Amino acid sequence: MWEQQLGDEAWAMWVQAKREIAAASLRYGGSISACHGSCREGEVDLVPQELGRGFEVMLDVKRALDPNNVMNPGKYLLDLAYEGDAGAALAALRGGSG
């Protein structure tokens, strides 16, 4: 992938640019999801903000259908489904508290 050709500084700049674009999109009522979703560095931490309570439902479904976390581990922050206090982790991502 082209991203693998970037040095550390260029990669950090790319991730920051993606994050700023995604945040602006959400701020103005847009979406950050695309055909491949938003599961990569730069915008993935904004998915709970975009989906609201729907993200918590995704965690519940993930936990129910994949109790051993073998299907796409690490994608969309769904590993939060297996943390003891997912609510606190979500609040921190959303900029709030517990």
Side-chain angles (χ1 to χ4, degrees):
M1 293 170 56
W2 67 269
E3 298 147 326
Q4 295 170 339
Q5 304 302 316
L6 297 177
D8 290 343
E9 184 176 348
W11 175 254
M13 290 171 59
W14 168 244
V15 168
Q16 183 62 31
K18 286 191 336 178
R19 180 165 180 43
E20 290 173 7
I21 292 166
S25 176
L26 291 177
R27 193 168 38 254
Y28 292 102
S31 175
I32 59 173
S33 296
C35 61
H36 296 287
S38 298
C39 60
R40 304 199 46 209
E41 187 177 5
E43 72 271 352
V44 68
D45 59 319
L46 296 173
V47 170
Q49 178 184 336
E50 178 179 18
L51 298 181
R53 173 68 180 114
F55 187 77
E56 294 169 48
V57 171
M58 285 177 59
L59 294 180
D60 293 342
V61 170
K62 170 74 167 164
R63 199 171 22 256
L65 297 179
D66 186 15
N68 297 313
N69 195 22
V70 296
M71 296 186 290
N72 274 339
K75 297 292 183 176
Y76 291 103
L77 298 178
L78 292 178
D79 289 350
L80 290 175
Y82 307 97
E83 291 191 9
D85 192 355
L90 282 173
L93 281 172
R94 292 176 176 147
S97 59

